[in-house]
């Protein structure tokens, strides 16, 4: 497979999620979200992916957990807790002012996570099939951003309704993100 083709496939796995994030940022009429913080949140999402990849590998290889069980039920919990922890920190530190901010930051966490995960899979799988990278780019990567954005929006809404960022305010969003992620993983 030519290097150009391999590079194009990797871009296919990365560009959709970053294009959508850029669209969210450009559509933000309040423009309160600073690009520097978005970049930090992207990096935090990438760090969450690294921790998740290590944890999932330890569970599968070290603890002998079945790959299907891990992918469908355990990994979504681990991954959403890690991505969600970034949102919890942002909300509790009052860095999220509006629901649109929550959507942007949530999607940014998921985009950073998806980018690192896709780069890892690209390097380790060595599968250069177009269908795989279409699914990774338009499916998995966008799913990671979307479910974390949903978690962030629901958590911000709960914080506003209940008058504070109490631990229970994050549970509904975390539950919804985890169930959606698990459901997505049942299809592949």
């Amino acid at each position: 497979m030519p290097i150009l083709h391999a590079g194009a496939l990797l871009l296919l796995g990365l560009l959709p999620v970053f294009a959508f994030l850029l669209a969210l940022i450009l559509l933000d009429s309040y423009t309160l979200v600073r690009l520097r913080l978005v970049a930090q949140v992207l990096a935090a999402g990438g760090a969450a992916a690294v921790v998740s990849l290590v944890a999932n590998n330890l569970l599968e290889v070290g603890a002998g957990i079945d790959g299907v069980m891990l992918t469908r039920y355990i990994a979504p919990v681990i991954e959403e807790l890690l991505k969600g922890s970034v949102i919890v920190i942002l909300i509790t530190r009052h860095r999220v002012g509006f629901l649109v901010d929550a959507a942007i930051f949530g999607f940014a966490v998921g985009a950073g996570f998806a980018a690192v995960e896709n780069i890892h899979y690209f390097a380790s799988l060595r599968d250069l099939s177009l269908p795989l990278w279409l699914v990774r780019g338009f499916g998995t990567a966008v799913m990671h951003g979307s479910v974390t954005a949903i978690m962030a929006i629901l958590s911000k809404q709960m914080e506003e309704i209940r008058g504070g960022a109490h631990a229970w305010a994050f549970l509904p969003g975390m539950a919804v993100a985890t169930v959606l992620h698990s459901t997505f993983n049942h299809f592949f």
Side-chain angles (χ1 to χ4, degrees):
M1 192 71 52
I3 292 175
L4 179 63
H5 180 67
L9 289 174
L10 179 58
L11 282 175
L12 189 58
L14 299 174
L15 284 180
V17 72
F18 286 113
F20 193 82
L21 176 60
L22 180 62
L24 284 176
I25 292 168
L26 293 175
L27 290 172
D28 177 18
S29 61
Y30 296 112
T31 61
L32 296 176
V33 173
R34 300 290 174 235
L35 291 180
R36 181 176 179 185
L37 185 54
V38 172
Q40 292 170 342
V41 169
L42 276 164
V50 171
V51 173
S52 170
L53 288 165
V54 170
N56 290 337
N57 188 54
L58 286 172
L59 289 171
E60 185 172 22
V61 176
I65 294 177
D66 175 61
V68 172
M69 175 69 103
L70 180 70
T71 301
R72 290 183 176 176
Y73 303 106
I74 299 168
V77 173
I78 292 168
E79 293 173 9
E80 295 313 320
L81 283 172
L82 289 168
K83 292 186 297 178
S85 67
V86 177
I87 299 304
V88 170
I89 290 167
L90 290 170
I91 291 175
T92 57
R93 291 187 178 172
H94 307 287
R95 300 304 301 241
V96 181
F98 298 99
L99 293 178
V100 67
D101 302 351
I104 292 168
F105 287 132
F107 202 87
V109 171
F113 187 100
V116 169
E117 186 180 71
N118 276 352
I119 290 167
H120 167 75
Y121 284 138
F122 185 81
S124 62
L125 292 178
R126 305 214 188 280
D127 185 341
L128 299 177
S129 66
L130 180 62
L132 173 67
W133 291 100
L134 282 170
V135 170
R136 296 267 349 140
F138 287 96
T140 307
V142 173
M143 177 277 297
H144 277 298
S146 299
V147 299
T148 311
I150 291 168
M151 180 272 177
I153 292 166
L154 290 174
S155 297
K156 179 61 182 167
Q157 184 67 36
M158 291 296 291
E159 180 227 16
E160 290 177 1
I161 290 171
R162 300 296 180 193
H166 308 287
W168 53 264
F170 299 100
L171 294 178
M174 194 70 72
V176 169
T178 302
V179 168
L180 289 172
H181 186 159
S182 176
T183 301
F184 179 88
N185 284 2
H186 275 73
F187 292 108
F188 299 101

